[in-house]
Every structure is written in structure tokens, then in C-alpha cells.
Amino acid sequence: MYLLGLGLVLLLLKWQQIGVVAGWSWWLVLAPFAGAALWWTLSDLSGLTRRRAAAREQRRQRERVERQRQALSGGHTKPPLRRG
């Protein structure tokens, strides 16, 4: 996301002919967008995106179970048994 933000700022500066960015090549101004696309591609290929999504879903599930446990017990819960 940082690369996209940087790309948008550089694009606006180049488009409005503001500062030193006005004299830069368009290739240099658009490079952060290519970097973001490359990062997302590598992230997807390495499984990082899938692992983060799975961790987020597990956290949501634990929170949901805990809320339900507290609702059923009136706010008083015992710690879950650890197996293994």
C-alpha cells in the first residue's frame, strides 16, 4: 500500500508539474505502481496472502467462540482445556 500511495503522490506532482518531479521521466514516476504489482504477485505466489487471511479467520473464530462462551455463562468462563 505504501508503494501505491507513493505512486499516487508522484503521479499528482508530475501531472500538476510541481517541484522536481515535473522534470522526472514518466518511467520513474510510474515505477512505484510496477513495484506494487510485483509485490502483490510475489506475495500471492509465496502464499503470504493466504496465510494472513487464514490467521485473520482463526482470530475471528476464536473471538466469536469466546463471545458465545461468555454469553452462555453469564460472563464467567473457565479457561479452555489444553489438549496435547
Side-chain angles (χ1 to χ4, degrees):
M1 288 304 275
Y2 295 116
L3 287 174
L4 273 182
L6 176 64
L8 287 173
V9 169
L10 292 177
L11 184 65
L12 286 173
L13 290 173
K14 175 72 173 177
W15 184 49
Q16 294 297 320
Q17 298 291 319
I18 298 174
V20 297
V21 180
W24 292 359
S25 165
W26 276 104
W27 292 107
L28 188 59
V29 173
L30 298 177
F33 293 111
L38 180 65
W39 167 254
W40 284 332
T41 301
L42 293 175
S43 177
D44 285 344
L45 289 176
S46 70
L48 179 64
T49 305
R50 186 174 297 137
R51 285 192 304 270
R52 285 183 178 170
R56 190 170 40 249
E57 286 299 319
Q58 288 175 352
R59 181 179 43 83
R60 287 180 184 163
Q61 182 181 8
R62 284 192 309 265
E63 290 171 356
R64 184 175 59 246
V65 167
E66 184 59 31
R67 280 194 313 269
Q68 290 173 350
R69 186 177 290 143
Q70 286 180 358
L72 288 173
S73 68
H76 304 292
T77 61
K78 294 189 296 187
L81 295 175
R82 301 232 178 209
R83 298 180 184 177

